[in-house]
Amino acid sequence: MKIEILDLGINNLSSMVRSIENNSRDYDQICVVSELSEIKDAELIVLPGLGHYQAGMRALEESGLSKYVKDYCENGTRIVGICLGMQLLFECSEEAPGIQGLKILEGVVKFLPSTESVPNIGWDEVKIRQESVNFSSLEKGKDFYFDHSLCATEIPDEVVLTETPFGESHFISSVLNGNVLGFQFHPEKSGKIGQSLVGDILDWARSFD
């Protein structure tokens, strides 16, 4: 399987690459790309991210990778967004008024409630909302590592994969819509259970073959 990890210059890249390498198979081809000339017809595109929404979208637009991601997504290529990478899949974000996201998924990104401790940094549980045979690691009741101040909202119920308690409420912590996956938390920073999830993600991507 051809796996391309997008480098936006603001990504948490090294740990993501290492995590995928640790769960890959001998025949997998893993490539880090930062511009269109490096593209090699991926079967799985990984969009990791740490940083500001506007900086992420600017990097995608200036490199030409935004159109690449959208076009390949429409053609059935598997897309995975992690943290900011997940947020960029949606329509827009309160963090960057007037900046359009990739619009691959329906929904908007908003700040977490100021009545709680923000940013939300540390280990939190995820609760399954959409049953899936592909992600058994999410059903084990384990905590995953979060580091964020915003979350995706106004998402169709059928797209929500997991949610996470937050004070007296909750936020959407992962989504699944056909060939598109998004995780607000960091599987690559979540220890053994995170490694198990990365393995699930790669198996999910292979299941489209």
Side-chain angles (χ1 to χ4, degrees):
M1 180 170 62
K2 296 179 181 178
I3 305 167
E4 291 181 349
I5 305 169
L6 303 192
D7 180 7
L8 305 184
I10 59 172
N11 292 347
N12 176 42
L13 203 61
S14 59
S15 57
M16 192 73 248
V17 173
R18 185 166 57 250
S19 185
I20 290 176
E21 289 176 341
N22 289 342
N23 287 278
S24 64
R25 298 178 182 175
D26 291 341
Y27 55 80
D28 288 332
Q29 301 174 37
I30 304 169
C31 183
V32 176
V33 301
S34 58
E35 55 186 43
L36 281 175
S37 62
E38 300 168 332
I39 295 301
K40 294 180 171 57
D41 295 330
E43 295 163 277
L44 171 63
I45 297 173
V46 181
L47 182 56
L50 280 172
H52 197 277
Y53 194 93
Q54 182 172 357
M57 282 308 304
R58 181 188 298 120
L60 283 171
E61 295 288 352
E62 291 179 352
S63 64
L65 291 174
S66 59
K67 186 176 187 304
Y68 161 70
V69 172
K70 288 186 283 190
D71 287 349
Y72 270 60
C73 180
E74 289 181 2
N75 290 331
T77 298
R78 281 73 79 196
I79 309 291
V80 179
I82 307 293
C83 198
L84 174 63
M86 169 180 161
Q87 295 175 8
L88 295 174
L89 298 175
F90 292 96
E91 299 168 45
C92 59
S93 173
E94 284 187 341
E95 187 176 36
I99 302 297
Q100 293 187 345
L102 291 170
K103 295 185 177 181
I104 289 173
L105 294 174
E106 179 182 343
V108 299
V109 178
K110 295 184 178 182
F111 284 103
L112 292 166
S114 58
T115 53
E116 307 298 335
S117 178
V118 179
N120 179 39
I121 301 175
W123 296 78
D124 287 310
E125 66 178 314
V126 300
K127 295 184 176 181
I128 286 283
R129 283 265 305 273
Q130 180 185 157
E131 296 297 333
S132 174
V133 296
N134 295 297
F135 304 102
S136 60
S137 54
L138 295 175
E139 300 174 358
K140 295 181 178 179
K142 302 292 186 180
D143 290 357
F144 290 84
Y145 184 77
F146 291 80
D147 183 358
H148 64 121
S149 298
L150 300 101
C151 64
T153 65
E154 301 176 26
I155 301 172
D157 286 343
E158 64 271 17
V159 174
V160 178
L161 181 58
T162 66
E163 63 183 23
T164 292
F166 189 66
E168 297 181 356
S169 184
H170 66 271
F171 61 84
I172 295 167
S173 49
S174 65
V175 292
L176 171 61
N177 186 23
N179 60 317
V180 181
L181 258 176
F183 298 95
Q184 183 57 67
F185 53 88
H186 290 272
E188 78 282 6
K189 292 185 175 183
S190 296
K192 291 182 178 179
I193 190 62
Q195 290 302 302
S196 178
L197 178 56
V198 172
D200 286 348
I201 293 169
L202 297 183
D203 288 342
W204 164 81
R206 292 188 185 98
S207 72
F208 284 74
D209 294 337

